[in-house]
Amino acid sequence: QKVTVDVLDHLERLALVDFRDSEGVERLQKAIQFADQLHEVNTDGVEPMDSVLEDRCLYLREDDVTEGNCAKELLKNAREKVEEYFVAPPGNIPLPKLEERDTYLQSS
Amino acid sequence: QVSAALKKGHVTPTELCQRCLALIKSTKFLNAYITVAEETALKQAEESEKRYRTGQPLGVLDGIPVAVKDNFSTAGIETTCASEMLKGYIPPYSATVVQKLLDQGAVLLGKTNLDEFAMGSGSTDGVFGPVRNPWSYSRQYKEKPVPESHPEDEASNWVITGGSSGGSAAAVSSFTCFAALGSDTGGSTRNPAAHCGVVGLKPTYGLISRHGLIPLVNSMDVPGILTRCVDDAAVVLGSLAGHDPKDSTTVQDNFKPFELPSLTDVSKLSIGIPKEYHAPGLSSEILALWSKAADLFKNAGANVIEVSLPHTHYSIVCYHVLCTAEVASNMARFDGLEYGHRSDMNKSTESMYAATRREGFNDVVRGRILSGNYFLLKQNYESYFVKAQKVRRLIANDFMKVFRSGVDILLTPTTLSDAVPYTEFIKEDNRTRSAQDDILTQAANMAGLPAISVPTALSERGLPVGLQFIGRSFQEKQLLTVAKWFEKQVKFPMIELEEVKRHDHGVFQHQKSASFS
């Protein structure tokens, strides 16, 4: 089954990257086709595996402060900042709907 | 050998460092390095020299020039992951493994080239261009006739290094450093090691800290080690392995660095030959070499048996789903706000994020992020992501069964063929290539097992071919001991680079030495 434009739009918003052109969409289709091979395997009664270290206990250290206080160094890499804040453009403005966006999907 | 030379004073760390830096300059056409940290390297070499003069070197690695793949954070040195997204990014901290090397006195020459964000199997998709395999310029490759080639084509006949740690492999192979760090998620250390004729070790997942390694797939990534011989790999492993409180996925077991015994009797060894690794597309040359290697063990008295890992065929599909899913999550941190590239678009937070990511990522990365998000959609989660996790358990169980039945080490090919020319490689897209090339190396990452690629012989085209050994979890000592025995038996030839010959004199002999330990 082909992926619908709705799902493609949904993906673009979730991932915040765009399918620049038809090649991008093709790539996804091929990826899905490739992944469909998984359904040939019988996994009845098999538990999903999150990590190869699942049989071990996670290391927990004491809840003591051992490092930090490096705000100046961390801010060095940011392009826009004010005092100790990272500055972002206004939030709470949704991305334009598909009909209003200038992307490949709109024209397809 | 070099370490001993440094101790005796036959060569000084600064001389060694300068020679390596000069060689890096003269092999610039290989494009193995993204950043060369000339000043800091010379400073480190000077400090090392002081220590040797007072007879107090920090250890075997003191003064040894090394290179690090550019997806490891290095304090004060630009770390780009070969992507627009991180161009100009200077980390405020060093990865644990990098710090460990520096603490041992190693001299960090620079950061090596890779596929963008370590996604790829050719080291061709980074923004700094592809890496050229040093063997393209070796006498052994050049003297072989190339079918359908014209004299003008000679310059463009160069072959790829494999990926994604191609820069590191090329750096070690061309003598510009003695050891290099790579990363291995699907074979990214072993694949270029095989194509460049060097040793590529993928340690057990959880043995070496990933703190500072820019993550691709958190449940499969490991730092990889590239060296010219197995003994060196053991030395580097010894200095890097061990629990790190900064990486919660490192195990707490006590790790003791070891020296490799020189095995003489292999009769107690059981070598497994997984039949599914006779994958479609495996070149007849490599198949023959694989057989010869099996016979080598058999004739030396080892118990060589055929085994089966039935889910091998699905390993690459499973990897495809899990990798893209984890990538979708890991790449979400790149939004331009705290570090890295930031777009000028500032209408809203989300549109700035979207524009930054459009400008910063190449097609490969974007493709994987979108695929990953698809598999993680609510309607697809069970049937793709969870399904892949179940298949992962089946694959890991396959290995467990084989090892439990008494097999000590598995012997498989590392790659399907020798290195292909760049012009050939780019005819197919990244995903297809990765799916083809990772087939033999990927399963070890799925199961978290240690694996090593050892250069075995030259192909008919004069290019290196490596074979892979896969061992039991945390049994690196056994794995490396067998690899060392094998290395001794096959006597892989040294690369004969014309550039290197020109500068040949005393000090250089040390450089060309196979090992530093």
Side-chain angles (χ1 to χ4, degrees):
Chain A
Q1 336 90 298
K2 280 203 78 183
V3 186
T4 64
V5 179
D6 273 344
V7 173
L8 292 175
D9 179 40
H10 185 50
L11 285 177
E12 279 197 344
R13 285 159 173 282
L14 274 182
L16 286 182
V17 290
D18 61 327
F19 289 100
R20 210 154 296 187
D21 48 29
S22 64
E23 224 188 293
V25 179
E26 256 306 298
R27 210 176 283 128
L28 178 66
Q29 293 284 161
K30 284 208 202 112
I32 300 173
Q33 234 178 328
F34 189 65
D36 280 333
Q37 291 175 74
L38 275 182
H39 299 129
E40 295 165 21
V41 186
N42 181 352
T43 52
D44 292 338
V46 182
E47 283 296 304
M49 179 184 241
D50 293 310
S51 160
V52 293
L53 300 175
E54 59 189 0
D55 293 329
R56 294 170 182 260
C57 259
L58 188 65
Y59 171 72
L60 292 174
R61 66 183 180 96
E62 288 302 312
D63 191 9
D64 297 320
V65 175
T66 51
E67 55 179 18
N69 269 327
C70 49
K72 211 164 98 192
E73 285 167 324
L74 294 178
L75 287 168
K76 261 199 216 136
N77 280 305
R79 217 184 75 173
E80 314 249 345
K81 49 197 178 231
V82 164
E83 289 177 20
E84 288 198 340
Y85 290 91
F86 293 111
V87 178
N92 238 349
I93 301 177
L95 279 177
K97 289 211 201 50
L98 181 60
E99 307 85 67
E100 296 147 25
R101 284 215 305 277
D102 179 23
T103 72
Y104 165 73
L105 281 185
Q106 195 211 47
S107 45
S108 68
Chain B
Q1 292 166 301
V2 161
S3 191
L6 283 173
K7 262 215 194 107
K8 293 207 194 99
H10 292 171
V11 63
T12 68
T14 33
E15 274 175 343
L16 201 54
C17 181
Q18 280 162 345
R19 290 273 153 244
C20 286
L21 289 171
L23 193 56
I24 294 177
K25 286 204 187 88
S26 65
T27 52
K28 219 170 177 180
F29 54 89
L30 293 177
N31 203 14
Y33 286 82
I34 295 179
T35 310
V36 181
E38 200 165 322
E39 282 177 28
T40 51
L42 285 169
K43 229 183 273 158
Q44 286 161 6
E46 275 170 27
E47 312 260 307
S48 171
E49 197 161 320
K50 281 193 212 127
R51 289 190 290 266
Y52 273 105
R53 252 185 264 143
T54 59
Q56 291 173 328
L58 292 167
V60 179
L61 287 175
D62 202 340
I64 304 287
V66 298
V68 159
K69 186 174 178 183
D70 208 14
N71 59 355
F72 285 91
S73 303
T74 43
I77 303 178
E78 189 181 357
T79 298
T80 64
C81 295
S83 174
E84 287 290 345
M85 188 58 93
L86 287 178
K87 248 195 195 159
Y89 167 64
I90 302 185
Y93 71 103
S94 280
T96 302
V97 288
V98 172
Q99 195 55 54
K100 281 192 173 177
L101 284 179
L102 294 175
D103 287 343
Q104 289 278 310
V107 173
L108 179 59
L109 292 175
K111 312 296 291 300
T112 56
N113 206 349
L114 58 154
D115 278 307
E116 181 155 345
F117 280 111
M119 299 189 200
S121 58
S123 300
T124 51
D125 278 319
V127 290
F128 296 100
V131 185
R132 300 184 183 207
N133 192 329
W135 283 84
S136 320
Y137 303 96
S138 67
R139 182 191 60 79
Q140 291 110 322
Y141 175 65
K142 278 186 164 166
E143 68 186 7
K144 300 281 180 182
V146 181
E148 314 150 16
S149 87
H150 315 271
E152 316 88 69
D153 283 349
E154 232 207 56
S156 56
N157 254 340
W158 57 273
V159 298
I160 56 165
T161 49
S164 56
S165 312
S168 288
V172 174
S173 165
S174 58
F175 305 111
T176 58
C177 64
F178 287 84
L181 288 184
S183 69
D184 198 314
T185 307
S188 297
T189 295
R190 291 160 286 155
N191 181 301
H195 285 313
C196 292
V198 296
V199 170
L201 171 63
K202 172 210 170 296
T204 312
Y205 180 82
L207 184 62
I208 299 191
S209 169
R210 287 181 301 111
H211 174 75
L213 167 59
I214 296 175
L216 189 65
V217 182
N218 297 60
S219 65
M220 294 185 229
D221 281 349
V222 285
I225 298 172
L226 294 137
T227 54
R228 289 202 273 282
C229 71
V230 178
D231 272 322
D232 287 355
V235 171
V236 179
L237 180 69
S239 65
L240 295 181
H243 176 65
D244 181 12
K246 292 191 185 156
D247 178 358
S248 62
T249 55
T250 50
V251 297
Q252 296 157 61
D253 303 348
N254 239 327
F255 175 80
K256 277 200 229 57
F258 48 78
E259 250 190 56
L260 295 177
S262 288
L263 197 62
T264 43
D265 173 26
V266 294
S267 58
K268 298 199 196 65
L269 267 186
S270 180
I271 310 277
I273 310 283
K275 62 181 186 198
E276 289 84 0
Y277 278 68
H278 185 347
L282 186 65
S283 84
S284 47
E285 265 191 308
I286 300 197
L287 182 61
L289 273 171
W290 188 20
S291 289
K292 256 174 84 181
D295 288 339
L296 194 70
F297 279 101
K298 213 182 293 176
N299 295 336
N303 175 23
V304 179
I305 52 174
E306 193 188 70
V307 296
S308 174
L309 297 167
H311 294 95
T312 301
H313 169 65
Y314 295 104
S315 159
I316 199 74
V317 187
C318 184
Y319 174 67
H320 169 73
V321 174
L322 293 178
C323 172
T324 49
E326 295 214 28
V327 159
S329 165
N330 279 321
M331 294 295 128
R333 71 191 69 194
F334 297 108
D335 54 21
L337 207 52
E338 303 95 340
Y339 45 73
H341 175 69
R342 176 176 171 145
S343 165
D344 290 327
M345 155 73 71
N346 62 358
K347 288 219 190 78
S348 72
T349 312
E350 291 213 359
S351 64
M352 187 278 276
Y353 287 175
T356 300
R357 291 157 74 83
R358 174 188 308 134
E359 294 162 21
F361 291 139
N362 74 0
D363 289 344
V364 178
V365 181
R366 273 183 307 115
R368 292 202 193 189
I369 295 175
L370 288 163
S371 306
N373 274 292
Y374 180 82
F375 297 131
L376 291 171
L377 288 176
K378 234 187 285 184
Q379 69 249 41
N380 296 328
Y381 194 80
E382 270 294 326
S383 62
Y384 286 99
F385 185 67
V386 178
K387 181 86 183 176
Q389 287 189 310
K390 292 183 180 175
V391 175
R392 179 175 187 178
R393 182 178 297 282
L394 291 176
I395 294 169
N397 286 347
D398 277 356
F399 280 104
M400 287 307 110
K401 270 191 222 128
V402 165
F403 284 129
R404 226 175 279 146
S405 74
V407 170
D408 298 305
I409 305 270
L410 295 169
L411 168 62
T412 78
T414 311
T415 52
L416 293 177
S417 69
D418 55 3
V420 298
Y422 176 69
T423 44
E424 265 300 309
F425 188 77
I426 50 176
K427 287 198 189 137
E428 295 273 354
D429 73 80
N430 184 293
R431 195 187 57 80
T432 320
R433 281 295 178 202
S434 300
Q436 294 166 343
D437 301 331
D438 286 343
I439 247 178
L440 302 169
T441 48
Q442 207 297 305
N445 293 84
M446 271 298 166
L449 300 171
I452 185 170
S453 174
V454 181
T456 308
L458 291 183
S459 70
E460 288 218 347
R461 288 165 62 217
L463 295 171
V465 167
L467 287 179
Q468 173 178 235
F469 293 92
I470 305 177
R472 291 200 184 96
S473 279
F474 301 105
Q475 301 301 317
E476 272 81 355
K477 185 168 180 192
Q478 184 184 49
L479 179 68
L480 289 171
T481 305
V482 175
K484 180 173 165 177
W485 181 87
F486 182 70
E487 176 187 58
K488 210 157 144 221
Q489 304 301 313
V490 298
K491 300 202 211 10
F492 185 76
M494 187 139 54
I495 186 177
E496 289 169 43
L497 281 175
E498 269 134 28
E499 323 292 317
V500 171
K501 271 214 208 113
R502 246 180 264 144
H503 303 284
D504 211 329
H505 50 69
V507 170
F508 229 69
Q509 283 310 320
H510 296 291
Q511 193 130 356
K512 285 214 278 187
S513 72
S515 81
F516 58 74
S517 54

